[in-house]
Amino acid sequence: MTGEEKLAQRTAEAEAIVKKYLPPAEGFQKTVLDAMDYSVNAGGKRLRPVMMRESYRMFGGEGEEIEPFMAAIEMIHTSSLIHDDLPCMDNDTLRRGKPTAWVKYGYDMAVLAGDGLMIYAFETAAKALALGADPARTARSMQILAEKTGIYGMIGGQTVDVELTNQPIPEEKLDFIYRLKTGALLEASLMIGAVMAGASEDEVKKMEEVASLVGVAFQIQDDILDVTGSEEELGKPVLSDEKNNKTTYVTLKGLEKAKADEEEISRRAVQLLCSLEGDHEFLEELINMLTKRRK
């Protein structure tokens, strides 16, 4: 089975798990539930839940207790996309080739849908306990999920990103944005998988470092594709960063330097991953696929 075939299989598995944990769209609050479901079901690579399960398996994890966390991380990721697309943020009208949540449901419902998914993610993660998960591992994983989502993680990165819109961004702040805004949820994915499987603190720390490198490389590649890709390939408008007058790795370093740095950072991530015990063959393939992607 090729790397692409393995990824397709694992993505389909993650897709089914995420959908299983979505709340039914019913009751007086049906509109916001519809908007939540619409946004999650718009598609995507399901990269974070796939990486979480692979980390879990790498450290010998078995069973269903990882599944609520897989669904939770995708809910949080989707909530961030809903908010990123808002007129007050990136003002994007397409996401994965479909109208963004605020275009379809209105600004107010999109804000509530993003909030709803973020809160429901933690309600979902807690369901791991009902599946027999170790309470201490579950508590540690929920702590990681909160930390990597909040002001010291994704939201912290978004804050600096928003504050510096239409301003030149120095390199150290751009690195901060990329490590938190993009890297934090990848870090949570690999760390939670390791924790839930019983990995040591040293092993969990190394997985965090792997994910941090992957996050930076992934974002640099995203910047490259914003310049070199097409709307048909990406499913969203190209040159969005230029339209919003945003500093990116490409505007800071130039296209060729960005490509070279992305390749070097990806190499370091794989090297660190391979220093760990366990079956990490697919994770290695996945990192290489992600950082060489065309869409």
Side-chain angles (χ1 to χ4, degrees):
M1 190 181 294
T2 66
E4 287 80 6
E5 288 170 339
K6 290 178 191 174
L7 178 58
Q9 180 187 64
R10 285 160 171 78
T11 300
E13 291 169 357
E15 181 81 27
I17 289 165
V18 171
K19 288 186 175 181
K20 181 171 74 172
Y21 281 96
L22 281 175
E26 57 191 23
F28 289 130
Q29 69 273 57
K30 184 179 185 298
T31 304
V32 74
L33 290 163
D34 275 334
M36 289 162 61
D37 286 2
Y38 170 80
S39 300
V40 174
N41 287 321
K45 301 176 183 70
R46 307 307 186 200
L47 166 62
R48 290 150 192 83
V50 167
M51 291 179 71
M52 184 184 290
R53 177 176 259 182
E54 287 307 309
S55 176
Y56 178 68
R57 288 171 171 168
M58 176 178 158
F59 290 102
E62 298 177 354
E64 297 181 1
E65 65 266 19
I66 195 64
E67 294 185 0
F69 280 99
M70 291 171 64
I73 199 76
E74 192 66 14
M75 290 174 189
I76 289 172
H77 174 55
T78 303
S79 79
S80 75
L81 300 182
I82 293 172
H83 286 168
D84 272 352
D85 291 334
L86 291 172
C88 64
M89 302 281 273
D90 289 344
N91 194 28
D92 280 328
T93 58
L94 280 180
R95 170 69 65 179
R96 295 164 179 159
K98 298 180 181 180
T100 50
W102 75 267
V103 171
K104 186 171 178 65
Y105 290 95
Y107 199 144
D108 48 3
M109 281 301 147
V111 171
L112 292 172
D115 292 346
L117 278 171
M118 189 170 290
I119 296 298
Y120 195 72
F122 289 91
E123 182 178 339
T124 300
K127 293 176 182 178
L129 291 168
L131 296 174
D134 178 85
R137 293 178 187 176
T138 303
R140 173 70 177 126
S141 295
M142 291 190 75
Q143 179 189 24
I144 291 168
L145 191 63
E147 180 183 329
K148 296 300 183 181
T149 299
I151 55 174
Y152 298 108
M154 179 187 72
I155 290 173
Q158 289 173 317
T159 299
V160 178
D161 189 28
V162 169
E163 284 183 332
L164 293 176
T165 299
N166 297 319
Q167 299 178 46
I169 303 177
E171 186 173 348
E172 65 271 17
K173 286 194 175 181
L174 189 66
D175 180 64
F176 177 88
I177 292 167
Y178 285 3
R179 282 190 299 104
L180 271 68
K181 183 179 177 184
T182 304
L185 292 190
L186 297 178
E187 291 168 9
S189 300
L190 291 189
M191 291 173 74
I192 289 169
V195 167
M196 292 295 285
S200 70
E201 277 302 315
D202 182 62
E203 289 169 328
V204 172
K205 181 65 179 174
K206 284 184 178 177
M207 292 300 275
E208 180 180 27
E209 292 172 16
V210 169
S212 180
L213 290 167
V214 172
V216 173
F218 186 90
Q219 186 58 58
I220 294 173
Q221 182 68 358
D222 203 50
D223 293 346
I224 292 168
L225 290 174
D226 191 68
V227 174
T228 63
S230 69
E231 185 170 318
E232 290 72 26
E233 286 178 320
L234 303 180
K236 61 180 180 178
V238 295
L239 300 176
S240 175
D241 296 325
E242 181 179 313
K243 177 188 73 176
N244 291 311
N245 197 25
K246 280 185 146 184
T247 300
T248 70
Y249 205 89
V250 172
T251 62
L252 205 60
K253 299 280 192 175
L255 185 58
E256 293 311 310
K257 175 64 171 168
K259 289 179 178 178
D261 287 356
E262 184 274 332
E263 192 169 314
E264 170 60 18
I265 293 167
S266 303
R267 185 194 64 78
R268 285 164 51 201
V270 170
Q271 186 178 46
L272 181 57
L273 177 69
C274 291
S275 72
L276 291 161
E277 297 292 329
D279 181 5
H280 42 61
E281 180 183 354
F282 176 69
L283 268 179
E284 182 181 347
E285 291 177 349
L286 180 57
I287 291 170
N288 287 325
M289 282 188 284
L290 288 172
T291 54
K292 292 175 177 58
R293 73 195 191 282
R294 296 301 309 156
K295 58 184 178 178

